[in-house]
Amino acid sequence: MNYPKTRLRRLRYNRNIRNMFEDITVNKSDLIQPIFLVEGKNIKKEIKSLTGQFQLSIDNAIDFCKSLMNEGVNSIILFGVSSEKDDTGEISCSSQSIVPKAIKEIKNKFGDQLLVIADVCNCSYTNHGHCGTIVENDVDNDLTLETLSKQSLTLAKAGADVLAPSDMMDGRVQSIRNKLDSSGFEKTPIFPYSVKYASAFYGPFRDAVGSGPKKGDRKTYQMSFKNSNEYLREVEQDLNEGADAIIIKPALAYLDIVNEVRRNFDVPIIAYNVSGEYSMIKSSAEKGQINEKDVLMETIHCMKRAGANAIITYFAYDIAKNLNSKNV
Ligand code: PBG
């Protein structure tokens, strides 16, 4: 025991000395705001389970992008809400589908000022709500790869800066990479959700895009949270297939995984602070049980401390505003 000679509190006694040694920072460039897109004009419909988040028509999405950029958030990830659905999600491969249409307009408007990431998945476009084509009561891996690569090419052609496949099919990075490379898009990066657990924290998101599976669950393709090592193989496989950066989700209850990936692989990591994590903070703050801003800034710093380089979060706009105000 070195006490009383060693007193760790000496480095905490005032703000300047604390600031000197704090080494975890959240930058506005770390933040990625999700946007939910719907057909129509001047639509801004609040999502019940995601207070403060909206389904937006393209014109309103463009306005939201302007507000984000004004606060210094220059990255978004797009999700389509589709009223039209089919068996395989093939409708998502048309250039007239909502997300490619939006990407075209957004890129026309903002060019390289705004990084546009497109989520790649079929669940918003299938009538059964699963992430791929169903054969004999299960999602068929290899048939789904075909739709995913076609959808990716459509999104790349529309101008997406990055593709983020979230389906959890085996081999999708390679299959999308091949499709892009053979069509002249060898420069377009792929950020797969390499580590994606079958999580109840996605509940509000499924409300937002109407993508909950009508029957069954996603456990035959998303990972089990009771499994401690599988994520290492998932990351390794995606890197071997050509992933440029990886997404891990959910974030908060899974920061051990973020940290282990940081220690085991030299790859940029994006943590996805998912819908249920957002809603938990929102609801308890609304009830006056916690201070929203403080809890939010704390959790986001913890994600950085665990090893995330960037964070997808419905709070991106709010965090940037907080960072811009003097009292944070
Ligand atoms: C699509 C997808 C989901 C999320 C991101 N992409 C839902 C799911 O897999 O069911 C969840 C995001 C969130 O909860 O914020 N497959």
Side-chain angles (χ1 to χ4, degrees):
M1 273 282 265
N2 287 325
Y3 175 81
K5 273 196 179 159
T6 302
R7 289 173 184 266
L8 294 173
R9 290 184 58 197
R10 284 188 202 114
L11 298 185
R12 297 176 203 146
Y13 273 116
N14 71 43
R15 187 183 170 122
N16 284 337
I17 203 163
R18 286 195 298 274
N19 286 170
M20 181 174 283
F21 299 118
E22 286 168 356
D23 62 336
I24 305 297
T25 50
V26 173
N27 307 304
K28 286 174 268 176
S29 55
D30 302 335
L31 304 171
I32 304 165
Q33 172 77 42
I35 297 183
F36 298 106
L37 297 159
V38 282
E39 295 283 355
K41 280 220 156 60
N42 197 22
I43 293 174
K44 181 175 178 182
K45 189 170 164 222
E46 185 160 26
I47 299 158
K48 252 207 215 122
S49 50
L50 275 175
T51 316
Q53 301 295 310
F54 301 85
Q55 292 181 342
L56 299 173
S57 50
I58 299 176
D59 48 349
N60 282 340
I62 287 179
D63 283 349
F64 185 34
C65 291
K66 278 185 206 150
S67 320
L68 285 165
M69 293 164 77
N70 278 339
E71 295 297 337
V73 176
N74 297 317
S75 306
I76 56 172
I77 181 163
L78 298 178
F79 297 96
V81 183
S82 180
S83 47
E84 277 176 71
K85 301 189 189 254
D86 62 21
D87 272 353
T88 60
E90 181 80 22
I91 45 162
S92 65
C93 305
S94 153
S95 60
Q96 290 315 300
S97 182
I98 178 72
V99 180
K101 270 200 309 197
I103 294 175
K104 235 182 219 151
E105 290 197 36
I106 291 172
K107 289 306 281 184
N108 266 344
K109 186 95 194 158
F110 302 110
D112 271 349
Q113 309 273 81
L114 185 69
L115 187 84
V116 177
I117 304 172
D119 183 89
V120 175
C121 195
N122 294 332
C123 60
S124 292
Y125 308 95
T126 53
N127 44 32
H128 42 73
H130 278 284
C131 299
T133 303
I134 293 189
V135 177
E136 287 169 8
N137 284 324
D138 192 23
V139 172
D140 185 279
N141 195 87
D142 299 10
L143 279 179
T144 302
L145 293 183
E146 288 175 27
T147 332
L148 292 170
S149 356
K150 263 203 205 164
Q151 184 188 120
S152 299
L153 183 57
T154 304
L155 294 164
K157 280 184 177 162
D161 292 303
V162 177
L163 298 169
S166 66
D167 52 282
M168 290 306 278
M169 297 303 119
D170 287 317
R172 87 265 214 221
V173 176
Q174 181 179 345
S175 158
I176 293 171
R177 187 72 273 158
N178 287 343
K179 186 77 161 184
L180 294 177
D181 289 0
S182 61
S183 315
F185 290 95
E186 54 285 297
K187 284 191 195 154
T188 305
I190 302 176
F191 298 176
Y193 297 67
S194 297
V195 184
K196 176 171 178 179
Y197 289 91
S199 169
F201 284 101
Y202 309 151
F205 174 96
R206 291 178 188 169
D207 263 6
V209 299
S211 71
K214 300 260 180 319
K215 219 171 87 188
D217 52 40
R218 303 208 202 287
K219 288 183 181 162
T220 70
Y221 41 105
Q222 299 181 350
M223 296 159 61
S224 167
F225 54 80
K226 296 180 187 165
N227 202 335
S228 56
N229 285 325
E230 188 185 17
Y231 67 93
L232 293 165
R233 297 185 71 190
E234 285 285 358
V235 173
E236 193 172 17
Q237 194 151 314
D238 280 0
L239 291 177
N240 287 338
E241 291 179 28
D244 298 284
I246 63 146
I247 302 175
I248 297 176
K249 83 188 234 192
L252 266 189
Y254 296 79
L255 291 183
D256 56 327
I257 309 290
V258 172
N259 190 249
E260 285 296 329
V261 173
R262 162 60 57 244
R263 289 168 193 272
N264 282 285
F265 299 93
D266 186 12
V267 61
I269 298 171
I270 300 167
Y272 197 141
N273 180 211
V274 298
S275 55
E277 300 170 10
Y278 171 90
S279 295
M280 285 195 309
I281 293 184
K282 277 281 177 196
S283 308
S284 38
E286 268 163 23
K287 283 192 183 165
Q289 295 167 332
I290 58 167
N291 178 302
E292 177 174 323
K293 181 172 156 194
D294 292 346
V295 170
L296 164 61
M297 295 312 278
E298 180 177 332
T299 51
I300 228 76
H301 278 84
C302 293
M303 289 174 201
K304 289 291 303 277
R305 193 188 62 225
N309 300 91
I311 296 150
I312 301 173
T313 173
Y314 303 93
F315 283 118
Y317 178 77
D318 298 351
I319 296 168
K321 266 197 121 123
N322 290 340
L323 292 173
N324 291 335
S325 75
K326 291 230 159 51
N327 52 5
V328 173

